[in-house]
Protein backbone atom coordinates (compact mmCIF):
# COMPACT_ATOMS: atom_id res chain seq x y z
CA UNK A 1 0.00 0.00 0.00
CA UNK A 2 1.27 3.48 -0.87
CA UNK A 3 2.05 5.80 2.05
CA UNK A 4 2.18 8.80 -0.25
CA UNK A 5 0.45 11.86 1.18
CA UNK A 6 -2.14 12.91 -1.36
CA UNK A 7 -3.74 16.33 -1.72
CA UNK A 8 -7.01 14.94 -0.34
CA UNK A 9 -5.31 13.62 2.80
CA UNK A 10 -3.38 16.86 3.19
CA UNK A 11 -6.51 18.97 3.03
CA UNK A 12 -8.20 16.74 5.64
CA UNK A 13 -5.37 17.53 8.06
CA UNK A 14 -6.59 21.12 8.46
CA UNK A 15 -7.61 21.66 12.09
CA UNK A 16 -6.92 17.97 12.89
CA UNK A 17 -3.17 17.50 12.73
CA UNK A 18 -0.35 20.00 12.20
CA UNK A 19 1.33 19.80 8.79
CA UNK A 20 5.14 19.61 8.70
CA UNK A 21 6.94 20.98 5.66
CA UNK A 22 10.65 21.41 4.97
CA UNK A 23 12.53 22.48 1.86
CA UNK A 24 14.90 20.16 -0.01
CA UNK A 25 16.85 20.65 -3.20
CA UNK A 26 18.54 17.29 -3.73
CA UNK A 27 17.95 13.55 -3.53
CA UNK A 28 20.22 12.92 -0.54
CA UNK A 29 18.58 15.32 1.90
CA UNK A 30 15.08 14.68 0.53
CA UNK A 31 15.49 10.97 1.32
CA UNK A 32 16.68 11.81 4.85
CA UNK A 33 13.66 14.06 5.47
CA UNK A 34 10.99 11.92 3.79
CA UNK A 35 9.93 9.74 6.75
CA UNK A 36 9.58 12.63 9.19
CA UNK A 37 7.72 15.35 7.28
CA UNK A 38 4.42 15.59 5.43
CA UNK A 39 5.58 17.83 2.63
CA UNK A 40 8.79 18.76 0.84
CA UNK A 41 9.02 22.15 -0.85
CA UNK A 42 11.53 22.56 -3.65
CA UNK A 43 11.74 26.27 -2.93
CA UNK A 44 13.35 28.96 -5.02
CA UNK A 45 15.26 29.73 -1.81
CA UNK A 46 17.72 27.28 -3.37
CA UNK A 47 18.95 30.24 -5.41
CA UNK A 48 20.34 31.69 -2.16
CA UNK A 49 21.31 28.70 -0.03
CA UNK A 50 22.38 26.36 -2.86
CA UNK A 51 23.53 28.73 -5.64
CA UNK A 52 24.86 31.52 -3.39
CA UNK A 53 22.85 34.34 -4.99
CA UNK A 54 21.67 37.35 -2.96
CA UNK A 55 17.95 36.70 -3.56
CA UNK A 56 15.54 34.31 -5.30
CA UNK A 57 14.96 36.40 -8.43
CA UNK A 58 17.40 34.73 -10.84
CA UNK A 59 16.25 31.13 -10.24
CA UNK A 60 15.12 29.63 -13.55
CA UNK A 61 12.45 27.06 -14.35
CA UNK A 62 15.13 24.73 -15.77
CA UNK A 63 17.06 24.84 -12.48
CA UNK A 64 13.92 24.29 -10.44
CA UNK A 65 12.90 21.32 -12.59
CA UNK A 66 16.39 19.79 -12.29
CA UNK A 67 16.32 20.02 -8.48
CA UNK A 68 12.73 18.78 -8.29
CA UNK A 69 13.59 15.72 -10.40
CA UNK A 70 16.40 14.97 -7.93
CA UNK A 71 14.07 15.35 -4.93
CA UNK A 72 11.32 13.25 -6.54
CA UNK A 73 13.77 10.46 -7.32
CA UNK A 74 14.15 9.56 -3.61
CA UNK A 75 10.86 10.62 -2.01
CA UNK A 76 8.23 7.96 -1.34
CA UNK A 77 5.85 9.52 1.18
CA UNK A 78 5.94 13.28 1.23
CA UNK A 79 3.75 15.58 -0.84
CA UNK A 80 6.08 17.50 -3.17
CA UNK A 81 5.53 21.19 -3.84
CA UNK A 82 7.24 23.01 -6.73
CA UNK A 83 8.00 26.71 -6.31
CA UNK A 84 7.35 28.63 -9.54
CA UNK A 85 10.32 30.99 -9.99
CA UNK A 86 10.08 34.73 -10.66
CA UNK A 87 8.73 35.63 -14.11
CA UNK A 88 7.28 32.21 -14.92
CA UNK A 89 3.63 33.00 -14.11
CA UNK A 90 3.19 36.62 -15.18
CA UNK A 91 0.18 35.82 -17.38
CA UNK A 92 -2.29 32.95 -17.78
CA UNK A 93 -0.69 31.43 -20.87
CA UNK A 94 2.91 31.37 -19.67
CA UNK A 95 1.81 30.19 -16.22
CA UNK A 96 -0.04 27.22 -17.71
CA UNK A 97 2.75 26.40 -20.17
CA UNK A 98 5.32 26.37 -17.36
CA UNK A 99 3.09 24.50 -14.92
CA UNK A 100 2.36 21.81 -17.52
CA UNK A 101 6.12 21.45 -18.01
CA UNK A 102 6.53 20.97 -14.26
CA UNK A 103 3.85 18.27 -14.15
CA UNK A 104 5.22 16.51 -17.24
CA UNK A 105 8.91 16.64 -16.35
CA UNK A 106 8.72 16.04 -12.57
CA UNK A 107 6.49 14.18 -10.14
CA UNK A 108 5.64 17.32 -8.15
CA UNK A 109 2.14 17.16 -6.68
CA UNK A 110 1.42 20.88 -6.80
CA UNK A 111 2.96 24.22 -7.66
CA UNK A 112 3.23 27.37 -5.56
CA UNK A 113 3.13 30.97 -6.69
CA UNK A 114 3.46 34.27 -4.86
CA UNK A 115 0.77 36.94 -4.95
CA UNK A 116 -2.69 38.05 -3.91
CA UNK A 117 -5.80 39.19 -5.76
CA UNK A 118 -3.79 40.15 -8.86
CA UNK A 119 -3.08 36.45 -9.37
CA UNK A 120 -6.71 35.28 -9.17
CA UNK A 121 -7.23 34.88 -12.93
CA UNK A 122 -3.97 32.95 -13.27
CA UNK A 123 -4.81 30.59 -10.38
CA UNK A 124 -8.30 29.99 -11.76
CA UNK A 125 -6.85 29.19 -15.20
CA UNK A 126 -4.32 26.75 -13.73
CA UNK A 127 -6.92 25.14 -11.52
CA UNK A 128 -9.35 24.79 -14.47
CA UNK A 129 -6.55 22.94 -16.27
CA UNK A 130 -5.93 20.35 -13.55
CA UNK A 131 -2.96 22.01 -11.84
CA UNK A 132 -3.04 22.10 -8.01
CA UNK A 133 -1.90 25.54 -6.86
CA UNK A 134 -0.67 26.78 -3.48
CA UNK A 135 -0.86 30.55 -2.94
CA UNK A 136 1.93 32.41 -1.10
CA UNK A 137 0.85 35.57 0.71
CA UNK A 138 2.23 38.04 3.26
CA UNK A 139 5.94 38.61 2.73
CA UNK A 140 6.72 37.62 -0.86
CA UNK A 141 10.47 37.12 -1.38
CA UNK A 142 10.15 37.52 -5.17
CA UNK A 143 8.99 41.13 -4.53
CA UNK A 144 12.03 41.98 -2.38
CA UNK A 145 13.76 44.03 -5.09
CA UNK A 146 10.65 45.94 -6.15
CA UNK A 147 9.71 46.62 -2.52
CA UNK A 148 13.28 47.42 -1.41
CA UNK A 149 13.72 44.59 1.09
CA UNK A 150 11.99 42.01 3.26
CA UNK A 151 9.50 43.73 5.56
CA UNK A 152 7.06 42.00 7.90
CA UNK A 153 3.47 42.37 6.64
CA UNK A 154 0.16 42.95 8.39
CA UNK A 155 1.36 45.46 10.97
CA UNK A 156 -1.48 47.89 10.33
CA UNK A 157 -5.20 47.04 10.40
CA UNK A 158 -5.48 47.98 6.70
CA UNK A 159 -2.63 45.62 5.74
CA UNK A 160 -4.16 42.86 7.86
CA UNK A 161 -7.53 43.21 6.11
CA UNK A 162 -5.80 43.21 2.71
CA UNK A 163 -4.01 39.94 3.50
CA UNK A 164 -7.27 38.33 4.68
CA UNK A 165 -9.06 39.47 1.52
CA UNK A 166 -6.22 38.17 -0.64
CA UNK A 167 -6.44 34.79 1.10
CA UNK A 168 -10.18 34.56 0.53
CA UNK A 169 -9.79 35.57 -3.13
CA UNK A 170 -7.12 32.91 -3.71
CA UNK A 171 -9.27 30.22 -2.10
CA UNK A 172 -12.22 31.29 -4.24
CA UNK A 173 -10.02 31.08 -7.36
CA UNK A 174 -9.19 27.45 -6.59
CA UNK A 175 -5.98 27.57 -4.53
CA UNK A 176 -5.70 24.28 -2.62
CA UNK A 177 -3.60 25.66 0.27
CA UNK A 178 -1.74 28.79 1.32
CA UNK A 179 1.78 29.60 2.47
CA UNK A 180 1.72 32.60 4.82
CA UNK A 181 5.12 34.22 5.27
CA UNK A 182 6.41 37.00 7.52
CA UNK A 183 3.21 38.32 9.09
CA UNK A 184 2.13 39.23 12.62
CA UNK A 185 0.64 36.12 14.27
CA UNK A 186 -2.87 37.61 14.57
CA UNK A 187 -2.96 37.96 10.77
CA UNK A 188 -2.11 34.30 10.21
CA UNK A 189 -4.61 33.30 12.87
CA UNK A 190 -7.36 35.34 11.19
CA UNK A 191 -6.57 33.88 7.74
CA UNK A 192 -6.41 30.32 9.08
CA UNK A 193 -9.81 30.61 10.73
CA UNK A 194 -11.44 32.28 7.70
CA UNK A 195 -10.30 29.89 4.91
CA UNK A 196 -11.24 26.24 4.59
CA UNK A 197 -7.93 25.26 2.94
CA UNK A 198 -4.74 24.49 4.95
CA UNK A 199 -2.37 27.34 5.81
CA UNK A 200 1.35 26.70 6.24
CA UNK A 201 3.28 29.42 8.05
CA UNK A 202 6.87 30.61 7.98
CA UNK A 203 7.51 33.46 10.38
CA UNK A 204 3.75 33.66 10.91
CA UNK A 205 3.25 32.30 14.44
CA UNK A 206 1.82 29.08 15.76
CA UNK A 207 -1.81 29.33 14.61
CA UNK A 208 -1.29 28.14 11.03
CA UNK A 209 -2.31 24.61 10.09
CA UNK A 210 1.35 23.77 9.49
CA UNK A 211 4.90 25.14 9.45
CA UNK A 212 7.68 25.26 6.89
CA UNK A 213 11.38 25.98 7.37
CA UNK A 214 14.25 26.14 4.89
CA UNK A 215 16.38 23.07 5.60
CA UNK A 216 19.75 24.84 5.53
CA UNK A 217 18.47 27.42 8.05
CA UNK A 218 17.02 24.95 10.55
CA UNK A 219 20.03 22.63 10.36
CA UNK A 220 22.51 25.48 10.75
CA UNK A 221 24.26 25.34 7.37
CA UNK A 222 23.21 28.77 6.08
CA UNK A 223 25.24 31.21 8.14
CA UNK A 224 24.95 34.50 6.26
CA UNK A 225 21.94 35.73 8.24
CA UNK A 226 19.26 34.20 10.41
CA UNK A 227 15.75 35.64 10.62
CA UNK A 228 14.11 35.69 14.07
CA UNK A 229 11.60 32.98 13.11
CA UNK A 230 14.27 30.36 12.35
CA UNK A 231 14.92 27.82 15.07
CA UNK A 232 18.23 25.99 14.58
CA UNK A 233 17.80 22.30 15.46
CA UNK A 234 21.44 21.53 14.72
CA UNK A 235 24.70 23.45 14.20
CA UNK A 236 25.48 21.87 10.83
CA UNK A 237 28.20 24.38 9.98
CA UNK A 238 30.18 23.59 13.14
CA UNK A 239 29.78 19.81 12.69
CA UNK A 240 30.96 19.91 9.08
CA UNK A 241 33.93 22.16 9.88
CA UNK A 242 35.03 19.83 12.69
CA UNK A 243 34.71 16.70 10.52
CA UNK A 244 36.57 18.19 7.54
CA UNK A 245 39.26 19.58 9.85
CA UNK A 246 39.79 16.06 11.32
CA UNK A 247 39.93 14.52 7.84
CA UNK A 248 42.46 17.11 6.63
CA UNK A 249 44.63 16.63 9.73
CA UNK A 250 44.64 12.83 9.29
CA UNK A 251 45.59 13.07 5.60
CA UNK A 252 48.38 15.53 6.38
CA UNK A 253 49.74 13.34 9.20
CA UNK A 254 49.46 10.14 7.17
CA UNK A 255 47.06 8.47 9.64
CA UNK A 256 44.31 8.20 6.98
CA UNK A 257 43.80 5.75 5.38
CA UNK A 258 44.65 3.29 8.13
CA UNK A 259 44.45 -0.50 7.86
CA UNK A 260 40.66 -0.59 8.41
CA UNK A 261 40.14 1.58 5.34
CA UNK A 262 42.60 -0.10 3.01
CA UNK A 263 42.00 -3.10 0.68
O1 LIG B 1 11.55 29.18 -1.48
C1 LIG B 1 11.21 28.85 -0.34
O2 LIG B 1 11.93 28.15 0.39
C2 LIG B 1 9.92 29.34 0.15
C3 LIG B 1 9.66 29.24 1.61
C4 LIG B 1 10.30 30.42 2.26
C5 LIG B 1 8.22 29.14 1.91
O3 LIG B 1 9.14 29.84 -0.61
Amino acid sequence: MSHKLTLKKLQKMKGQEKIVMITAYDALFASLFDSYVDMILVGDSLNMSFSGKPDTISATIDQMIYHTQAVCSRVEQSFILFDMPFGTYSDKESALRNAVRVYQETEADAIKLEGGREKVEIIRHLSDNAIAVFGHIGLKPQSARSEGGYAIKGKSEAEKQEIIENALALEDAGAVALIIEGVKPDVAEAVTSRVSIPTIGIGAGVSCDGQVLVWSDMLGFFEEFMPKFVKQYMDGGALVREAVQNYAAEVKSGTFPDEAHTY
Side-chain angles (χ1 to χ4, degrees):
M1 200 178 89
S2 169
H3 294 290
K4 172 86 185 171
L5 182 66
T6 61
L7 180 57
K8 255 192 194 154
K9 288 188 212 162
L10 180 74
Q11 289 191 306
K12 281 197 185 137
M13 290 170 79
K14 183 178 175 77
Q16 302 296 315
E17 182 186 342
K18 290 277 190 183
I19 299 164
V20 184
M21 189 198 283
I22 191 169
T23 66
Y25 317 129
D26 66 88
L28 189 65
F29 277 92
S31 69
L32 287 172
F33 303 152
D34 190 28
S35 306
Y36 307 103
V37 300
D38 301 303
M39 304 183 64
I40 291 181
L41 167 66
V42 187
D44 62 358
S45 52
L46 68 79
N47 209 46
M48 298 166 79
S49 56
F50 186 87
S51 303
K53 303 278 175 25
D55 56 33
T56 61
I57 303 294
S58 57
T60 68
I61 189 112
D62 288 341
Q63 286 168 340
M64 295 298 299
I65 285 176
Y66 169 81
H67 286 277
T68 306
Q69 286 168 340
V71 166
C72 291
S73 73
R74 296 292 300 279
V75 167
E76 290 175 0
Q77 304 182 16
S78 306
F79 186 98
I80 298 174
L81 183 58
F82 180 99
D83 205 2
M84 296 290 277
F86 181 69
T88 61
Y89 53 94
S90 313
D91 56 68
K92 288 198 302 189
E93 288 71 32
S94 63
L96 183 58
R97 194 169 51 249
N98 286 319
V100 166
R101 233 193 111 187
V102 171
Y103 264 14
Q104 289 183 330
E105 295 179 30
T106 78
E107 285 150 53
D109 297 291
I111 62 151
K112 164 169 97 60
L113 52 86
E114 297 182 10
R117 260 166 303 177
E118 75 286 358
K119 292 287 183 274
V120 153
E121 290 301 307
I122 292 169
I123 292 179
R124 186 163 288 126
H125 189 55
L126 292 170
S127 172
D128 286 348
N129 284 281
I131 308 283
V133 185
F134 279 54
H136 182 149
I137 57 174
L139 189 159
K140 293 166 286 176
Q142 291 176 10
S143 301
R145 281 198 212 171
S146 64
E147 291 183 359
Y150 300 92
I152 298 302
K153 304 289 178 186
K155 283 187 171 165
S156 68
E157 189 54 31
E159 231 177 45
K160 176 177 176 180
Q161 288 313 319
E162 193 189 329
I163 293 171
I164 295 171
E165 278 160 30
N166 278 334
L168 292 169
L170 296 190
E171 178 179 25
D172 187 58
V176 298
L178 296 173
I179 303 291
I180 309 178
E181 178 165 1
V183 300
K184 301 292 283 178
D186 61 313
V187 179
E189 189 178 356
V191 169
T192 301
S193 66
R194 297 280 297 275
V195 297
S196 58
I197 52 179
T199 62
I200 320 268
I202 174 159
V206 76
S207 301
C208 292
D209 297 307
Q211 298 291 327
V212 54
L213 282 176
V214 171
W215 80 269
S216 44
D217 291 341
M218 57 91 70
L219 296 182
F221 287 103
F222 189 72
E223 298 175 322
E224 277 166 44
F225 58 88
M226 192 162 68
K228 179 173 185 216
F229 64 79
V230 173
K231 179 169 177 186
Q232 256 190 17
Y233 287 83
M234 182 179 116
D235 190 349
L239 290 174
V240 168
R241 269 191 289 272
E242 189 188 334
V244 177
Q245 207 177 3
N246 287 340
Y247 164 62
E250 289 188 9
V251 172
K252 294 280 186 198
S253 66
T255 52
F256 176 83
D258 56 9
E259 224 174 287
H261 300 95
T262 304
Y263 291 111

